Amino acid sequence: MMRTAAIGIVLLLGLTGSSFLHGQVQDEAAVRRTLDHYLAGHATGDGSHMRLAFHPEARLFWVQDGALRQRTSAEYIAGFTGRPAPDEAQRNRRIESVDISGTAASARIVLDYPAVRFVDYMSLLKVDGEWKIVNKIFHREPRS
C-alpha cells in the first residue's frame, strides 16, 4: 500500500514537472516571437512589427552625451519609414539570451550594423496572456 502511494506521488510530481517544463518552453517560444517582431521591424522598417512587440506604455532609455534620454514606444515606432535601410544586406541582428521567471522576462539583443553596433536589453512582461516589451535600454557603439 505504501509503495503504491509513493509511486503515485512520484508520477504526480513527474507530470507536474513535465507540465511546468512544457509551460516554460511555450513561454520562451512566445517571448522569442515577440522579439522576432522587433527584429523584423528593424529589417523591414515596418512599424507594425514594432507595435506587435511593444506594450503601448513601454519606454526606451539610453545615455547620450552623458545624459539620460528617454522616449515612448510610440515616439520610437513613429521613426520607422516602412522601408528597409539602404545597407540592410550588411546588417546582422541576433537574440543573444532570454531569461524568464514566471510572467517576467529579459533579453539581450545585438544589432550589428556597418556604422554602429547596438546592444539592447529588453524587459518583457506577460500581459493579458501576451508577452510584450515594456522597457528597452540600450548602448550605442559607433564604428570608426
Side-chain angles (χ1 to χ4, degrees):
M1 182 75 152
M2 289 285 283
R3 184 172 181 197
T4 304
I7 291 171
I9 290 171
V10 169
L11 287 173
L12 179 62
L13 290 174
L15 291 174
T16 303
S18 175
S19 295
F20 177 74
L21 289 176
H22 180 68
Q24 281 185 314
V25 169
Q26 285 182 318
D27 278 335
E28 181 164 346
V31 166
R32 287 183 178 275
R33 278 192 301 276
T34 297
L35 298 172
D36 284 342
H37 281 296
Y38 172 75
L39 296 177
H42 278 287
T44 64
D46 185 349
S48 68
H49 287 288
M50 294 300 184
R51 281 188 283 285
L52 292 171
F54 282 92
H55 189 278
E57 295 181 42
R59 297 278 187 268
L60 292 78
F61 294 89
W62 70 100
V63 174
Q64 183 177 349
D65 301 324
L68 179 66
R69 308 279 188 210
Q70 71 172 305
R71 66 168 64 153
T72 66
S73 58
E75 292 168 330
Y76 177 66
I77 294 167
F80 284 79
T81 64
R83 293 178 304 280
D87 63 353
E88 180 55 35
Q90 289 82 44
R91 293 179 172 216
N92 294 299
R93 300 170 189 88
R94 65 187 174 278
I95 300 168
E96 288 201 335
S97 66
V98 172
D99 184 27
I100 303 169
S101 295
T103 58
S106 64
R108 176 184 159 114
I109 294 176
V110 174
L111 309 173
D112 198 0
Y113 299 162
V116 65
R117 179 178 184 260
F118 292 95
V119 178
D120 295 339
Y121 294 92
M122 306 293 198
S123 297
L124 300 94
L125 291 173
K126 192 174 188 179
V127 180
D128 296 327
E130 291 186 41
W131 286 96
K132 296 291 183 180
I133 299 167
V134 295
N135 180 258
K136 170 186 166 176
I137 61 172
F138 66 91
H139 173 69
R140 182 180 186 274
E141 203 175 286
R143 299 198 188 277
S144 52

